[in-house]
Amino acid sequence: ANKAFGLAAVNSINWARILAQIVYYFYAYMRIVPKPVDTDAPRRKISFSVPTGNFGDILAGYYAKRMGLPVEQLVPATNENDIIHRFFSKGEYFKPAAVSPTLSPSMDICVSSNFERFLYHMADDKPQVLSEWMETFEKTGKLQADAELLEKSQREMVSERLSQDEIIATIRANYEQHQYLLDPHSAIGVGVADKLVGKLTAGVPVVCLACAHWGKFTDAVGKAIGEETLANIKFPGELEALKTLPTRKTVVPATVEAVMQHMSKTTGK
């Protein structure tokens, strides 16, 4: 099918997507930090708080830092499905029995697919060491970092999590104080940055990466600011137009063959 249709999934484990995400960090830095008059002077650093589930976007920040971007701290911000936060805070990378549905569904994961890439570098780029770690994890559902691995990882990132109530409170507070409406994913980055004020380097700007538009998550936003208030907020034109466009769909049997036949018919291949 891939050869016939030229298919590619640009999901968060796709390396091409991570390459593109690296650009965000350089772009944000150049927007925030003015070009120094003295080109020999050290460049000012900034930090990034990144909502994460599958560890792709924050991994891009890690690579941006390794490429030379002046990054002070990288902050993986999680929801209640906090396998990443538990690793950075306790050294416990334990697969949970189930995913907890939350207000930020794109971050509801059991295991972070890209985290293995980060662990590779924490293993000093030794594939055999990483292989042993991951074999243990596959067999037991647990990876317990020793003191050395935990300390090394914590030098690279500091994490925190937000509960459901904290997400709602963050959306509400930012709307009331700044008239800026966050979606429940982006709110985790902002809320975690606020929560870590005492742990992040004082005086260093923190960029919170946005993940989505609030218009896709009106149930959560309505809980935060009130349905009546939300009803009076105008949607962007692109989203508003979707409400009146016709819905087109084709129902096919749930088999690989049926899907391939439909694709062939639709594309003429």
Side-chain angles (χ1 to χ4, degrees), residues 132-261:
E132 291 173 1
W133 288 349
M134 299 315 297
E135 284 178 10
T136 298
F137 180 73
E138 289 295 326
K139 291 177 181 177
T140 66
K142 296 181 179 181
L143 174 62
Q144 178 68 60
D146 60 24
E148 181 182 358
L149 173 58
L150 179 58
E151 182 182 357
K152 188 174 184 179
S153 300
Q154 289 175 336
R155 287 199 298 267
E156 299 297 338
M157 301 186 189
V158 54
S159 69
E160 187 52 86
R161 74 193 286 273
L162 241 58
S163 67
Q164 300 278 70
D165 289 342
E166 288 173 318
I167 294 171
I168 291 296
T170 300
I171 296 172
R172 181 185 302 116
N174 275 266
Y175 184 70
E176 291 176 349
Q177 297 170 19
H178 308 294
Q179 291 71 58
Y180 189 92
L181 201 49
L182 293 163
D183 79 276
H185 302 76
S186 307
I188 294 174
V190 174
V192 160
D194 288 338
K195 201 171 180 179
L196 288 176
V197 166
K199 294 183 179 180
L200 298 180
T201 305
V204 175
V206 180
V207 176
C208 301
L209 270 63
C211 306
H213 192 279
W214 60 264
K216 295 174 64 180
F217 303 96
T218 52
D219 288 346
V221 173
K223 290 180 182 178
I225 66 172
E227 295 294 344
E228 185 176 345
T229 301
L230 179 60
N232 292 319
I233 298 176
K234 187 176 181 180
F235 277 67
E238 297 88 347
L239 292 180
E240 191 67 41
L242 293 176
K243 298 178 182 179
T244 57
L245 291 176
T247 299
R248 293 189 292 267
K249 65 179 180 180
T250 302
V251 179
V252 298
T255 65
V256 173
E257 292 75 16
V259 172
M260 290 182 65
Q261 288 176 7

Side-chain angles (χ1 to χ4, degrees), residues 66-97:
R66 289 190 60 161
M67 291 168 67
L69 189 67
V71 175
E72 177 70 11
Q73 288 164 298
L74 291 167
V75 181
T78 77
N79 62 17
E80 292 178 355
N81 295 291
D82 60 353
I83 186 172
I84 292 298
H85 173 54
R86 284 184 279 115
F87 175 82
F88 282 101
S89 58
K90 302 178 183 179
E92 298 175 354
Y93 192 67
F94 295 178
K95 185 177 181 180

Side-chain angles (χ1 to χ4, degrees), residues 15-30 48 56-69 71 209:
W15 182 248
R17 177 163 163 173
I18 294 172
L19 287 175
Q21 288 171 324
I22 292 173
V23 178
Y24 302 166
Y25 293 86
F26 284 90
Y27 177 77
Y29 184 88
M30 290 185 287
F48 292 89
D57 208 354
I58 190 72
L59 183 69
Y62 172 73
Y63 286 129
K65 183 178 181 180
R66 289 190 60 161
M67 291 168 67
L69 189 67
V71 175
L209 270 63

